[in-house]
Amino acid sequence: QSVLTQPPSVSGAPGQRVTISCTGTGSNIGAGYDVYWYQQVLGTAPKLLIYADANRPSGVPDRFSGSKSGTSASLAISGLQAEDEADYYCQSYDTSLSAWVFGGGTKLTVL
Amino acid sequence: QVQLQESGPGLVKPSETLSLTCTVSGHSISPYYWSWIRQPPGKGLEWIGYIYDSGSTNYNPSLKSRVTISVDTSKNQFSLKLSSVTAADTAVYYCARNYCNDGACYPAAFDIWGQGTMVTVSS
């Protein structure tokens, strides 16, 4: 059980917008630590989508956006495409565990 | 183009030591953070630890007593050793490099990943 809680699954039709939440505590997100987001297509290594809460590495489409407020963070994906179907993970630092931690992951299904 | 490649035994016996190497091509080891991350079958990601530049390390406290990460700059490689393994250590093991941009580096942002190597702990 991760200290960062994500919904197990979300879904949306092509072209729609979906959001994936990542709920933490005062020991991680709420303490102001940066949040990162990764996309993992089945059978491949994760890919960095968002760093430092809301920044995209070069090459990541602007359809992906990140935000943070209080003890939670969110990843929004607009203009949903079939190739967005994947698992998504949030990540932050937890001061109680003294470790970088990942959320349990959210499976995105494009209907 | 930076590429990472994990190598090592795919099968390790219980109580023995798991040893993996990550070979870095396209860039020198310095001055990045080099991490090991694992993913049990069908489960989520777990950060194991990192080694930085000259050799300073930081490990996940949950694994710290069993983990050693080292670097061989002459071979542009870094390695993971995990001792006293059990079935719970069965996972895909990834090596990864952190993200740097415009002079700022983010140790926790895993930007470049190896393809991963499956390690099974079984007798």
Side-chain angles (χ1 to χ4, degrees):
Chain A
Q1 187 113 3
S2 176
V3 295
L4 301 180
T5 301
Q6 299 180 234
S9 63
V10 298
S11 63
Q16 285 188 334
R17 181 178 185 271
V18 297
T19 60
I20 299 173
S21 62
C22 177
T23 303
T25 67
S27 297
N28 40 68
I29 297 175
Y33 291 103
D34 286 346
V35 177
Y36 305 85
W37 289 92
Y38 299 85
Q39 176 194 61
Q40 185 178 33
V41 174
L42 187 64
T44 68
K47 172 187 175 182
L48 179 66
L49 287 180
I50 299 289
Y51 68 96
D53 302 340
N55 299 279
R56 286 184 307 275
S58 60
V60 174
D62 59 8
R63 302 187 296 107
F64 295 89
S65 61
S67 63
K68 184 174 80 175
S69 178
T71 58
S72 295
S74 292
L75 173 72
I77 309 172
S78 60
L80 209 55
Q81 299 179 3
E83 56 261 39
D84 297 332
E85 190 160 287
D87 293 325
Y88 292 83
Y89 293 90
C90 62
Q91 177 210 347
S92 187
Y93 182 79
D94 189 279
T95 188
S96 296
L97 298 174
S98 298
W100 293 327
V101 292
F102 291 89
T106 298
K107 182 175 179 58
L108 168 63
T109 300
V110 180
L111 302 171
Chain B
Q1 182 182 356
V2 182
Q3 292 186 315
L4 308 183
Q5 178 67 59
E6 304 90 350
S7 60
L11 181 64
V12 181
K13 289 183 168 53
S15 81
E16 294 189 344
T17 296
L18 178 160
S19 295
L20 296 174
T21 296
C22 182
T23 300
V24 181
S25 59
H27 199 281
S28 68
I29 287 281
S30 301
Y32 289 90
Y33 291 78
W34 304 91
S35 286
W36 287 96
I37 297 149
R38 68 181 183 179
Q39 185 171 33
K43 296 188 178 181
L45 301 163
E46 181 181 30
W47 171 71
I48 298 170
Y50 71 66
I51 190 163
Y52 173 68
D53 196 13
S54 59
S56 61
T57 55
N58 187 19
Y59 302 136
N60 190 324
S62 69
L63 299 167
K64 188 173 184 177
S65 63
R66 300 193 290 132
V67 171
T68 302
I69 298 177
S70 59
V71 65
D72 186 338
T73 54
S74 66
K75 294 182 179 179
N76 233 35
Q77 296 176 333
F78 64 105
S79 300
L80 168 71
K81 291 188 184 301
L82 181 65
S83 64
S84 305
V85 298
T86 69
D89 295 310
T90 293
V92 174
Y93 285 76
Y94 295 100
C95 57
R97 193 195 78 175
N98 74 301
Y99 179 70
C100 291
N101 184 50
D102 288 340
C105 287
Y106 302 84
F110 307 119
D111 181 31
I112 309 293
W113 295 66
Q115 65 184 25
T117 186
M118 180 69 199
V119 179
T120 302
V121 178
S122 175
S123 56

